[in-house]
């Protein structure tokens, strides 16, 4: 039996005041335990779709079923910028969602330290954000997202500003977390190779108003990489993604 659907969009549309359409006719299902990646040209509505799933933007057409913010199944969001509070130590930044939820100091600190350990940042717990590199800040942001043990983790191009080695390392951290905690994850990325390397499925979106052009299953063993024995298979997936974008007159920027 297939896992249950945790996110379902049917004919989803989102238009801004004034009539500009960001999304139109989006049909998408995400099952529990998937690690879905989304690619598409700049401005196609990838981030808008993610924010709609998170409950941060309200669709104006169609239907969307997703875990409600603050519900029994937590939803966590990792933004493009780490958004760490500069006056708080890293452990306190990571513990912030638990603090806002009213959890006592001792257990929330323990949970934050455990989350930092999982992302390889335990040694930075007492530091302030300005002492961290860009990659370390994103690790802290990821730790803050998983500290609530989310059922659904949404990531909006969190590795896009990092160098290639850092983004690859963080992609592997994300996969390790996903495997260990068995949550559902949706990652928006502008890298076709990252999408194919990280995702169990890749959804391709076309130009605004965004809609789904292709939905590609990636049935390759992990760990994946061009240097890990299945470079040709990965490049075949990337080629299909490029073809789908070209057919939709899109380009990744």
């Amino acid at each position: 039996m297939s896992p249950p659907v945790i996110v379902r969009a049917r004919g989803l549309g989102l238009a801004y005041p004034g009539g500009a359409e960001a999304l139109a006719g989006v049909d998408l299902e995400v099952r529990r335990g998937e690690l879905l990646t989304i690619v598409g040209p700049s401005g196609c509505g990838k981030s808008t779709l993610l924010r709609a799933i998170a409950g941060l933007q309200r669709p104006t057409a169609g239907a969307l079923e997703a875990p409600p913010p603050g519900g029994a199944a937590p939803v966590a969001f990792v933004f493009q910028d780490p958004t760490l509070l500069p006056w708080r130590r890293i452990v306190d930044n990571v513990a912030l969602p638990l603090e806002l939820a009213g959890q006592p100091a001792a257990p929330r600190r323990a949970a934050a330290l455990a989350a930092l350990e999982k992302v390889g940042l335990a040694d930075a717990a007492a530091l302030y954000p300005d002492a961290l590199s860009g990659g370390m800040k994103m690790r802290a942001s990821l730790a803050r997202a998983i500290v609530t043990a989310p059922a659904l983790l949404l990531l909006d191009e969190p590795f896009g500003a990092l160098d290639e080695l850092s983004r690859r390392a963080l992609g592997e951290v994300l996969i390790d977390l996903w495997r260990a905690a068995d949550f559902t994850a949706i990652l928006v990325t502008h890298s076709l190779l990252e999408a194919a390397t990280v995702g169990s499925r890749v959804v391709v979106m076309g130009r605004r108003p965004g809609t789904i052009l292709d939905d590609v299953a990636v049935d390759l063993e992990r760990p994946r990489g061009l240097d890990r024995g299945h470079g040709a298979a990965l490049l075949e997936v990337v080629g299909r993604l490029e073809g789908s974008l070209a057919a939709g007159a899109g380009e990744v920027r």
Side-chain angles (χ1 to χ4, degrees):
M1 181 180 297
S2 297
V5 173
I6 191 170
V7 175
R8 178 183 284 112
R10 287 287 180 267
L12 189 70
L14 194 152
Y16 294 106
E21 285 188 291
L23 302 171
V26 173
D27 293 325
L28 177 68
E29 286 189 352
V30 185
R31 294 190 178 275
R32 189 174 65 194
E34 284 194 283
L35 203 174
L36 179 77
T37 52
I38 302 176
V39 297
S42 179
C44 74
K46 302 185 297 295
S47 296
T48 301
L49 176 58
L50 206 67
R51 292 175 68 87
I53 293 170
L56 300 176
Q57 290 188 252
R58 186 185 298 272
T60 53
L64 175 62
E65 301 171 27
V75 178
F77 202 109
V78 180
F79 295 91
Q80 295 178 20
D81 184 89
T83 62
L84 301 173
L85 301 178
W87 60 87
R88 292 177 67 117
R89 297 181 189 274
I90 294 302
V91 65
D92 297 320
N93 265 284
V94 172
L96 182 59
L98 302 179
E99 181 179 341
L100 294 175
Q103 188 171 122
R108 73 175 182 246
R109 179 178 175 82
L113 290 172
L116 285 168
E117 181 73 32
K118 290 175 183 176
V119 301
L121 208 58
D123 291 345
L127 300 179
Y128 289 93
D130 62 1
L132 272 58
S133 67
M136 293 170 74
K137 289 177 182 178
M138 286 311 310
R139 285 176 185 261
S141 181
L142 189 54
R144 184 180 56 195
I146 65 167
V147 76
T148 58
L152 177 61
L153 179 62
L154 306 172
L155 306 102
D156 186 12
E157 298 193 47
F159 313 144
L162 303 179
D163 63 84
E164 188 61 32
L165 290 177
S166 295
R167 70 183 301 158
R168 177 172 174 175
L170 275 166
E172 292 179 350
V173 168
L174 173 60
I175 292 167
D176 289 343
L177 293 171
W178 169 70
R179 283 174 145 177
D182 194 29
F183 52 72
T184 306
I186 305 176
L187 168 70
V188 166
T189 176
H190 59 252
S191 168
L192 301 186
L193 181 58
E194 181 174 73
T197 302
V198 172
S200 49
R201 280 171 61 206
V202 185
V203 163
V204 181
M205 293 183 65
R207 288 189 179 280
R208 179 178 288 195
T211 192
I212 305 298
L213 297 177
D214 203 358
D215 191 331
V216 183
V218 187
D219 298 320
L220 299 175
E221 292 183 3
R222 300 181 188 275
R224 300 174 187 160
L226 297 178
D227 58 345
R228 289 178 171 170
H230 33 53
L234 267 179
L235 291 176
E236 184 178 345
V237 174
V238 171
R240 172 166 170 179
L241 302 178
E242 289 176 337
S244 297
L245 285 166
E251 63 182 55
V252 173
R253 293 196 293 268

